[in-house]
Amino acid sequence: MTATPIAQLQPEPWAAHDRRLAAGATGALAPLNAAGVLEAADVHVATRLGHLGDEPDERVLLAVALAVRAVRSGSVCVDLATIAGLTAGPGEADDPLPWPDPAAWRAAVAASPLVAAGVVRLEGDLVYLDRYHRLERHVCDDLVERVEAPAPEVDEAALAAALGRVRGEHFSEEQEAAAVQAVRRRTTVLTGGPGTGKTTTVARVLVLLADQAAARDERLSVVLAAPTGKAATRLAEAVATELAGLDPADRERVGTPESLTLHRLLGWRPDNSTRFRHDRGNRLKHDLVVVDECSMVELTMMARLLEAVRPEARLLLVGDPQQLTSVGAGAVLGDVVRGFEGHPASPVASLERNHRSELDIQELAQALRGGDPDEVLAVLRRPSDEVELVETDDPVEVLREDALAAAVAVREAAAAGDAEAAVAALDRQRLLCAHREGPYGVRRWNRQVEQWLTDAGHPVHGEWYVGRPVLVTSNDYALEVYNGETGAAVAMPDGRLRAFVAGSGRLRDHAPGRLDAVETMHAMTIHKSQGSQATRVTVLLPDDTSRLLTRELFYTAVTRARSHVRVVGTEAAVRAAVLQRAQRATGLAERIRGATSGAEAAEAGSRHADARNGGETSAG
């Protein structure tokens, strides 16, 4: 079994007193730790497992340490056949790292008591920690079982009538085909870039399925979900807007679907961060579960979602596989698309045609998907009201005007006590950075904007001040604020300061001191911007040597803009961003291909049954 390739790792040696340097590292672990390939945590976990499992072979311990590192960096496994080539640094030719021979290395891992005990899993050249191996199997098996299950019954006359009502100039044949597929199958994976009409299609799917339920004298139970609160709210608002233009009777049948984060949908448990109230033994009640922004859904969350959805319920997964992958391990949406490619019953429905008027932004996104840096630069440099490239390695004066104007707009609304206007102003202009630290990082630019505010007569004192824009960085179920939601500090008539956060269709205000997991948002990272949009977006590209500069990152940043995107950086940075890919090492796509080829279908079913009969504890 082979893995999805990952980008070059580009290790750099740790400084002598860096906490990531493991003082007790020995054998094969020591030079790779010193070179920056491994961190101290990777070394300590591998050493401890080797001690507990009576495994002294340093080659096996190295494989375990790399598997730990893989998960920490977003991959699901490590490929012993390719890892050495991925870590070749500038001085590698003169001073190569001491990598084991791949064939002997694989044989040593295969013979290890850690593999015999099931702590480590080996498939071909791929080494997994047991938990992630189980999760990947469960996602594969659950998806394949859903795809190969008998099709649901469809009232063809009702479907034809409903299609006649939802057709129109804003509903293309491509979108209609995807919507009909969602009616005829239990599982649909709806993909497409910005402007291709994913939300329009989702709204029509709701109407068609609600109509099918009504034909059976039933009412469809629907839930809309997304990884973050901001994305869930955006989905609900967009669907409501689409439904508003359809037949009143259809709107009534659909109702107002609940919108939730995935954590809330599955039932977050304070005693367990990886398990939820809803699972195989306590399924979700809904007839249709729609999940948006699926590129952000990590392997663990996808496994929990699939086990919670009733087998007879419909599941609609929506997303853009070209965007950045999840913060956690895995690249599930892209793997699912690749894994089912060519399958006659593939659940994937891809939307390609663009329906938005911002053609230049869409052309830039298309050029990025194509991966040609000359084409990307040509689009960026062409005169346009939507796309702009400012070529500079000193962005201070370039960024000042727009960033300050955006901050002042929030500040003035907040000082007037207008919470709705202050929060709405946040989505007019956004400064996006690749890094958190350094000269191109969010921290530096947040401080810079605060200094500009002070210089402009809007003094900033302390952490909390009038007009402070904030981003929620983790879920707080007690306060009902969720990761990805945004807000602002607003002055009240009595002089108090309250933090208003937008989410779930309404503003909620809190005492600033109660909000622990928030950060200032004059600038935000591109990763954190996923699931949101702004009218105007400025993308600050780092130096072309940045490890974070990838095509997926650049594409995600560009597609956050509704009407205007400005890229600030050098030509070298643009070229580096287009050419560097950020794929992750996983085995899911090939696992799906194998399970659906027929040769492994029976084995997949057996594995699925075994997992249900007691394997869940280890997976969790």
Side-chain angles (χ1 to χ4, degrees):
M1 193 170 186
T2 58
T4 299
I6 61 175
Q8 204 81 355
L9 299 180
Q10 300 175 321
E12 294 180 1
W14 307 125
H17 300 292
D18 195 304
R19 60 182 175 82
R20 292 167 292 188
L21 190 63
T26 60
L29 297 173
L32 289 163
N33 174 225
V37 175
L38 299 173
E39 293 191 7
D42 309 326
V43 174
H44 295 323
V45 171
T47 303
R48 182 61 175 163
L49 283 178
H51 175 73
L52 294 174
D54 195 25
E55 174 54 85
D57 192 323
E58 63 186 39
R59 295 170 299 176
V60 176
L61 300 185
L62 175 58
V64 174
L66 289 166
V68 174
R69 181 210 179 281
V71 171
R72 181 169 49 76
S73 60
S75 292
V76 178
C77 55
V78 61
D79 190 338
L80 301 183
T82 62
I83 186 66
L86 293 170
T87 56
E92 187 74 2
D94 300 324
D95 187 20
L97 293 171
W99 292 103
D101 172 74
W105 195 6
R106 183 190 182 283
V109 174
S112 172
L114 295 177
V115 171
V119 176
V120 175
R121 302 285 182 171
L122 178 68
E123 288 194 20
D125 291 312
L126 305 187
V127 177
Y128 293 80
L129 300 178
D130 176 62
R131 178 174 184 268
Y132 291 91
H133 184 259
R134 286 177 177 270
L135 287 169
E136 192 174 271
R137 279 173 39 188
H138 292 169
V139 168
C140 172
D141 294 346
D142 282 339
L143 276 173
V144 170
E145 183 175 292
R146 290 187 62 86
V147 167
E148 296 183 348
E153 292 185 7
V154 175
D155 186 320
E156 297 294 343
L159 176 59
L163 283 171
R165 296 194 302 273
V166 301
R167 286 192 182 107
E169 59 178 327
H170 299 299
F171 192 50
S172 66
E173 292 183 5
E174 178 184 62
Q175 292 168 309
E176 179 175 325
V180 170
Q181 175 176 320
V183 174
R184 298 192 185 283
R185 297 180 182 177
R186 302 285 183 194
T187 304
T188 300
V189 181
L190 181 66
T191 68
T196 53
K198 296 189 295 294
T199 305
T200 298
T201 306
V202 170
R204 269 64 176 182
V205 169
L206 265 59
V207 168
L208 298 180
L209 288 177
D211 190 71
Q212 290 287 310
R216 301 189 301 271
D217 293 324
E218 298 173 1
R219 188 170 184 90
L220 186 73
S221 173
V222 182
V223 66
L224 308 177
T228 68
K230 186 75 170 180
T233 299
R234 274 191 59 225
L235 174 62
E237 292 172 348
V239 166
T241 300
E242 287 291 335
L243 290 174
L246 300 181
D247 186 278
D250 285 323
R251 294 202 305 270
E252 192 282 328
R253 278 189 285 270
V254 173
T256 305
E258 190 176 20
S259 65
L260 301 169
T261 64
L262 281 172
H263 281 83
R264 287 185 68 199
L265 171 66
L266 297 177
W268 173 77
R269 285 170 45 180
D271 62 321
N272 193 318
S273 62
T274 64
R275 304 298 305 180
F276 298 90
R277 287 190 296 105
H278 292 288
D279 54 19
R280 296 196 199 282
N282 181 27
R283 305 274 191 169
L284 293 166
K285 66 179 181 179
H286 308 92
D287 303 312
L288 170 63
V289 178
V290 181
V291 183
D292 197 13
E293 297 290 350
C294 280
S295 64
M296 300 168 64
V297 180
E298 63 185 6
L299 181 67
T300 299
M301 183 61 77
M302 185 60 74
R304 301 304 173 229
L305 171 68
L306 290 171
E307 71 180 15
V309 177
R310 291 183 293 118
E312 66 273 19
R314 284 178 172 84
L315 176 64
L316 178 56
L317 303 176
V318 185
D320 183 352
Q322 302 293 332
Q323 284 190 26
L324 282 167
T325 49
S326 58
V327 174
V332 179
L333 181 62
D335 284 346
V336 169
V337 172
R338 286 188 294 273
F340 281 107
E341 189 173 6
H343 190 279
S346 171
V348 179
S350 298
L351 302 179
E352 303 291 342
R353 179 186 169 193
N354 184 269
H355 299 273
R356 288 186 186 168
S357 59
E358 296 82 13
L359 296 180
D360 290 343
I361 294 177
Q362 303 311 319
E363 189 173 347
L364 176 57
Q366 182 62 41
L368 280 167
R369 286 195 293 270
D372 183 344
D374 290 330
E375 178 64 21
V376 171
L377 283 164
V379 175
L380 283 170
R381 287 169 171 163
R382 190 171 59 212
S384 168
D385 293 331
E386 300 171 17
V387 173
E388 176 186 4
L389 173 63
V390 181
E391 297 181 63
T392 179
D393 56 5
D394 184 15
V396 174
E397 289 306 315
V398 174
L399 300 181
R400 178 186 172 95
E401 183 178 354
D402 281 353
L404 177 57
V408 169
V410 177
R411 172 80 168 229
E412 291 180 343
D418 191 338
E420 288 192 5
V423 173
L426 297 174
D427 290 337
R428 295 195 193 113
Q429 166 71 32
R430 189 150 296 163
L431 172 58
L432 301 182
C433 306
H435 292 260
R436 292 189 60 82
E437 309 290 346
Y440 300 96
V442 163
R443 290 189 188 277
R444 181 262 170 103
W445 290 100
N446 276 326
R447 291 193 301 267
Q448 180 65 74
V449 175
E450 289 175 342
Q451 183 60 54
W452 286 335
L453 274 171
T454 299
D455 295 344
H458 303 281
V460 171
H461 299 296
E463 180 184 19
W464 284 96
Y465 52 87
V466 175
R468 181 195 180 194
V470 293
L471 172 71
V472 179
T473 57
S474 68
N475 299 324
D476 188 325
Y477 297 92
L479 296 182
E480 295 187 345
V481 294
Y482 302 99
N483 181 30
E485 293 180 344
T486 57
V490 178
M492 307 304 291
D494 60 4
R496 291 179 304 137
L497 199 64
R498 300 288 287 181
F500 283 80
V501 178
S504 301
R506 63 187 177 92
L507 287 177
R508 298 182 304 279
D509 67 299
H510 304 278
R514 297 195 66 192
L515 296 177
D516 293 329
V518 296
E519 58 187 38
T520 303
M521 200 193 74
H522 292 297
M524 70 189 303
T525 64
I526 297 169
H527 273 89
K528 290 290 187 181
S529 74
Q530 285 184 277
S532 67
Q533 285 191 309
T535 304
R536 297 174 62 86
V537 167
T538 296
V539 183
L540 178 60
L541 294 181
D543 186 88
D544 61 289
T545 60
S546 168
R547 299 183 186 184
L548 297 182
L549 199 55
T550 65
R551 189 186 307 172
E552 291 79 8
L553 187 89
F554 198 5
Y555 176 88
T556 299
V558 164
T559 55
R560 298 310 90 204
R562 292 194 188 98
S563 63
H564 185 271
V565 59
R566 177 175 56 172
V567 177
V568 179
T570 64
E571 177 180 328
V574 172
R575 289 186 179 278
V578 176
L579 293 173
Q580 175 75 352
R581 302 302 305 271
Q583 296 171 320
R584 295 179 171 186
T586 76
L588 180 58
E590 185 165 336
R591 195 179 299 279
I592 291 172
R593 281 193 290 267
T596 56
S597 67
E600 293 183 31
E603 180 187 353
S606 175
R607 289 198 308 262
H608 192 64
D610 290 344
R612 288 182 170 179
N613 292 331
E616 273 304 297
T617 301
S618 296

